[in-house]
Amino acid sequence: GNTMAPHLFLAQKTPIRAEHFERWLGLFTQTLQEGFAGPIAERALERARFMAVIMQSKLKTLGMLAPQQDAPALNGQQTF
């Protein structure tokens, strides 16, 4: 199917940021490592990383990838 369609729809409703893709990739990686091993699992992880990069690139090209949010300050102090 068209994996971009739901992302484009969502991006019109709420900001999609690189952090969202990082979070998805982290959850995907954790799930994969908990249940699978070997060359097929490694290939799945490579494809997931590639997919995240491509989707972010397409959203950015379309002006639909929101800028990253600043990290929250700790105890009222700015982080670097």
Side-chain angles (χ1 to χ4, degrees):
N2 181 358
T3 56
M4 279 304 296
H7 292 83
L8 294 172
F9 177 78
L10 182 61
Q12 293 174 10
K13 307 280 183 200
T14 188
I16 296 180
R17 294 184 170 80
E19 299 98 289
H20 295 116
F21 288 95
E22 292 167 12
R23 174 77 173 139
W24 170 80
L25 190 56
L27 291 170
F28 183 86
T29 301
Q30 179 182 353
T31 301
L32 191 67
Q33 291 173 342
E34 287 174 358
F36 305 93
I40 294 174
E42 290 300 318
R43 180 70 178 133
L45 186 54
E46 287 175 20
R47 290 181 60 112
R49 288 179 180 138
F50 179 75
M51 196 178 339
V53 169
I54 293 299
M55 292 182 112
Q56 287 180 80
S57 177
K58 286 182 180 182
L59 287 170
K60 186 175 183 179
T61 298
L62 295 170
M64 299 178 88
L65 185 66
Q68 283 191 278
Q69 290 183 323
D70 294 331
L74 300 175
N75 297 327
Q77 298 178 12
Q78 187 171 357
T79 57
F80 297 95

